[in-house]
């Protein structure tokens, strides 16, 4: 079974489950659902345990965890370029199994190999192939789900197209237990190119970040350039350490270094990307690079599903729809330094949109954040010691920085990514059936206009609201 990923939810004060069921068969899942219904216990379904707010393994009311750890089979069919993956499998297991069968196939999903497929796909599934291929959900072509009565729907036809639509980005945990997904694999070159360049404020990074906004969302679809923005100490001749901002430009290119350099020299010459910066890798080796795993170690490391060296953390998201001015970027950097009592406490990843993401309609799936977005931000806050007071202090810093970002991000609503759960955007009262309007406080931010359809689907598929959480889709009372 999975360990608790976020140590915030491993404290003595965190309510513990009445039981943890590590199901091996569908009968075990069915019995767990039946038992929870009989005893009026909440059921929490955990695939990988990476839920940012612990919704898959914590609750303020009595609950049971259904751990899908043993449901981790991956079947690759190159004949029709598809794969079936059970919801307890990790992304690393998926990538490893694809690579064992083919050097020119991949799947667009996240860069963290230990993330579970069940939650990742049901929230959207975002990774470094999104400008070329979109999200994971854009390549999910079938699924299997068990409802609150223990009935199994073996394909999209039997569950209905509305339910199949809802679970691809609307959060599968609001509708049933996702058993497995059928994926359409995508083609990649046998060799891809990756790079990582670092620049500081003193090296003109404010100008580079400003230019990145103009280029990264509209450049060749084969190219994805993530920014990783962190406060760091810089070397000085003084005995006193001062802080600056370091920005990493991390690139994934589906092509050769020659073609990449040709594109960059035309569109982003200011970054000074050179041939020695470009690393040619097999796609599966690029997975290792992006995961920051040691190079030249066995690919079987991707099969490891247990995390070590976990910390205490808070994560949130934002979407930027208008490029930020140089003055605004400078202000953000100054604010990051102010909110970081130690290096790398508050930091961000900026992920460019555009490409395929701008071509898919906002209601094609519940994931609504498509055209009109320049990039998505993931906010990070980490700390490494226990204690309620310490936790509240760091959460206050995180919230203060998020508030400071308000002028630069989407508005009415301030949009958020479901895979990056955040209780601060609103929750409902545990053990209480929230109304449509009460849940709208977070429903609009995650789903915008798609929230109403998710609500309607929920009413038909789970009318008793058995599958519920503090940020779930409610039912009509």
């Amino acid at each position: 079974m999975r360990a608790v990923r976020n140590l915030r939810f491993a404290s003595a004060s965190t309510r513990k489950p009445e039981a943890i069921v590590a199901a091996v068969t569908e009968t075990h899942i069915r019995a767990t659902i039946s038992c929870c219904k009989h005893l009026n216990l909440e059921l929490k379904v955990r695939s990988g345990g990476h839920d940012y707010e612990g919704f898959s393994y914590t609750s303020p009311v009595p609950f049971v965890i259904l751990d899908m750890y043993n449901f981790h089979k991956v079947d690759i069919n190159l004949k029709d370029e598809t794969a079936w993956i059970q919801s307890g499998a990790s992304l690393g297991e998926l990538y490893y199994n694809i690579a064992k069968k083919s050097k020119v196939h991949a799947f667009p999903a996240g860069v963290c190999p230990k993330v579970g497929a069940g939650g990742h796909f049901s929230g959207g599934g975002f990774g470094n192939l999104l400008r070329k291929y979109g999200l994971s959900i854009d390549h999910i072509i079938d699924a299997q789900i068990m409802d609150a009565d223990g009935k199994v729907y073996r394909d999209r036809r039997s569950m209905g197209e509305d339910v199949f639509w809802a679970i691809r980005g609307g959060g599968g945990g609001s509708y049933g237990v996702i058993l497995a997904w059928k994926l359409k694999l995508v083609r990649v070159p046998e060799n891809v190119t990756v790079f990582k360049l670092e620049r500081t404020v003193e090296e003109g990074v404010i100008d580079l970040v400003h230019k990145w906004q103009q280029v990264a969302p509209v450049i060749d679809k084969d190219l994805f350039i993530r920014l990783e923005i962190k406060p760091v100490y810089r070397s000085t001749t003084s005995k006193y350490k001062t802080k600056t901002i370091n920005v990493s430009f991390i690139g994934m290119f589906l092509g050769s270094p020659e073609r990449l350099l040709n594109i960059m020299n035309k569109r982003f010459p200011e970054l000074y990307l050179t041939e020695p910066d470009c690393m040619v890798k097999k796609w599966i080796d690029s997975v290792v690079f992006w995961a920051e795993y040691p190079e030249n170690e066995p690919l079987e490391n991707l099969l490891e599903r247990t995390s070590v060296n976990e910390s205490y953390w808070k994560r949130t998201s934002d979407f930027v729809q208008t490029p930020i001015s140089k003055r605004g970027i400078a202000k953000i950097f100054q604010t990051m330094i102010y909110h970081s009592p130690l290096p790398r406490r508050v930091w961000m990843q900026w992920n460019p949109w555009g490409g395929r993401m701008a071509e898919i309609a906002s209601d094609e799936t519940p994931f609504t954040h498509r055209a009109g977005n320049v990039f998505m931000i993931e906010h990070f806050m980490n700390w490494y010691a226990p204690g309620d007071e310490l936790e509240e202090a760091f959460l206050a810093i995180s919230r203060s920085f998020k508030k400071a970002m308000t002028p630069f991000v989407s508005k009415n609503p301030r949009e958020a990514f479901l895979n990056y759960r955040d209780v601060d955007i609103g929750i409902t009262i545990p053990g209480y059936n929230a109304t449509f309007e009460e849940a709208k406080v977070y429903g609009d931010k995650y789903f915008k206009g798609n929230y109403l359809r998710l609500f309607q689907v929920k009413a038909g598929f789970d009318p008793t609201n058995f599958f519920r959480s503090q940020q779930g889709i409610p039912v009509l009372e």
Side-chain angles (χ1 to χ4, degrees):
M1 292 184 295
R2 318 281 180 163
V4 174
R5 307 289 191 185
N6 187 345
L7 294 183
R8 285 174 55 205
F9 305 115
S11 67
S13 60
T14 302
R15 179 188 283 272
K16 304 302 185 287
E18 304 300 311
I20 301 175
V21 181
V24 176
T25 68
E26 291 179 3
T27 301
H28 296 158
I29 299 173
R30 188 175 293 108
T32 305
I33 291 173
S34 178
C35 182
C36 287
K37 288 172 74 174
H38 180 70
L39 298 175
N40 194 29
L41 297 169
E42 275 195 6
L43 180 65
K44 298 296 179 180
V45 183
R46 177 168 64 187
S47 60
H50 284 80
D51 190 300
Y52 281 3
E53 295 290 0
F55 286 159
S56 66
Y57 55 89
T58 65
S59 177
V61 299
F63 71 103
V64 167
I65 296 175
L66 174 61
D67 197 310
M68 301 296 287
Y69 186 85
N70 295 313
F71 280 71
H72 67 116
K73 188 176 182 181
V74 179
D75 285 325
I76 308 295
N77 184 346
L78 287 185
K79 198 170 186 178
D80 61 2
E81 299 182 299
T82 64
W84 273 103
I85 176 172
Q86 291 183 311
S87 62
S90 68
L91 298 184
E93 289 177 297
L94 172 63
Y95 298 154
Y96 176 86
N97 279 279
I98 293 173
K100 294 298 281 187
K101 292 285 187 75
S102 171
K103 295 179 180 179
V104 294
H105 287 86
F107 190 74
V111 301
C112 299
K114 294 177 183 177
V115 168
H120 187 69
F121 294 161
S122 66
F126 149 80
N128 58 21
L129 298 181
L130 94 161
R131 298 197 64 255
K132 177 72 171 183
Y133 288 117
L135 303 173
S136 301
I137 51 175
D138 301 322
H139 302 271
I140 290 176
I141 56 177
D142 213 337
Q144 297 178 352
I145 185 172
M146 184 182 292
D147 70 11
D149 294 322
K151 180 179 178 181
V152 175
Y153 301 82
R154 296 294 178 190
D155 53 34
R156 61 192 289 180
R157 182 189 59 80
S158 60
M159 74 180 73
E161 286 299 316
D162 278 345
V163 175
F164 183 62
W165 175 87
I167 62 176
R168 291 176 299 138
S174 284
Y175 297 92
V177 179
I178 308 292
L179 302 174
W181 305 93
K182 187 178 184 181
L183 318 177
K184 184 67 175 177
L185 304 181
V186 300
R187 293 291 188 106
V188 291
E190 189 166 337
N191 291 313
V192 302
T193 306
V194 298
F195 64 85
K196 182 175 182 179
L197 298 177
E198 297 188 356
R199 302 286 188 265
T200 64
V201 170
E202 293 71 28
E203 295 170 318
V205 80
I206 290 175
D207 289 341
L208 291 175
V209 171
H210 185 259
K211 179 66 179 286
W212 173 89
Q213 296 176 104
Q214 320 296 326
V215 173
V218 297
I219 207 166
D220 193 298
K221 288 182 187 179
D222 288 337
L223 179 57
F224 175 89
I225 307 174
R226 164 181 284 177
L227 301 189
E228 207 164 78
I229 306 172
K230 297 180 177 181
V232 296
Y233 285 128
R234 65 186 174 107
S235 300
T236 66
T237 55
S238 167
K239 65 179 180 178
Y240 299 106
K241 292 182 177 179
T242 60
K243 279 182 280 191
T244 186
I245 294 294
N246 184 86
V247 179
S248 298
F249 294 77
I250 311 171
M252 174 73 168
F253 182 64
L254 300 177
S256 67
E258 294 76 19
R259 189 161 75 89
L260 170 61
L261 290 170
N262 184 51
I263 292 169
M264 291 294 286
N265 288 336
K266 289 179 180 177
R267 303 299 304 275
F268 201 0
E270 298 87 347
L271 189 58
Y272 294 116
L273 181 70
T274 65
E275 188 173 357
D277 300 319
C278 300
M279 293 169 276
V280 178
K281 296 180 179 291
K282 305 295 184 186
W283 170 74
I284 193 62
D285 294 322
S286 79
V287 170
V288 173
F289 169 83
W290 279 86
E292 298 184 336
Y293 282 8
E295 290 191 58
N296 303 318
E297 291 199 3
L299 287 177
E300 282 71 20
N301 286 353
L302 294 172
L303 300 175
E304 176 59 54
R305 295 190 284 165
T306 303
S307 293
V308 295
N309 300 323
E310 298 291 1
S311 63
Y312 304 80
W313 41 267
K314 171 74 175 179
R315 305 280 188 268
T316 61
S317 62
D318 266 314
F319 287 88
V320 174
Q321 296 169 342
T322 302
I324 302 169
S325 67
K326 291 181 183 179
R327 183 177 180 182
I329 294 168
K331 184 174 182 181
I332 290 170
F333 288 179
Q334 291 165 0
T335 306
M336 286 185 76
I337 290 173
Y338 174 78
H339 283 82
S340 296
L342 293 171
R344 300 188 180 185
R345 292 301 194 190
V346 172
W347 57 285
M348 294 184 286
Q349 287 178 347
W350 290 11
N351 298 287
W353 246 228
R356 180 65 180 140
M357 289 296 287
E359 299 168 355
I360 300 172
S362 62
D363 60 356
E364 180 72 19
T365 65
F367 185 95
T368 188
H369 320 286
R370 303 284 190 171
N373 290 289
V374 180
F375 59 95
M376 181 184 73
I377 298 175
E378 183 175 6
H379 302 274
F380 295 77
M381 165 63 82
N382 289 52
W383 63 99
Y384 302 93
D388 292 343
E389 289 186 9
L390 188 64
E391 177 175 325
E392 283 306 313
F394 278 112
L395 290 178
I397 293 171
S398 174
R399 290 165 183 149
S400 177
F401 181 73
K402 183 87 181 282
K403 184 178 180 181
M405 289 293 294
T406 302
F408 309 108
V409 300
S410 60
K411 300 171 179 64
N412 303 316
R414 183 171 183 171
E415 299 176 32
F417 181 22
L418 183 65
N419 274 145
Y420 298 165
R421 293 274 194 183
D422 178 12
V423 297
D424 293 335
I425 71 173
I427 56 174
T428 54
I429 300 171
Y432 162 74
N433 285 330
T435 66
F436 175 84
E437 288 299 325
E438 288 168 337
K440 197 175 181 182
V441 66
Y442 55 82
D444 271 357
K445 293 164 188 168
Y446 286 139
F447 309 114
K448 295 175 66 177
N450 294 330
Y451 171 56
L452 175 59
R453 185 177 174 189
L454 289 168
F455 176 76
Q456 293 168 336
V457 175
K458 170 79 168 181
F461 198 71
D462 183 28
T464 64
N465 199 27
F466 174 74
F467 294 101
R468 58 192 181 273
S469 77
Q470 290 178 272
Q471 282 192 347
I473 303 296
V475 294
L476 187 63
E477 285 292 297

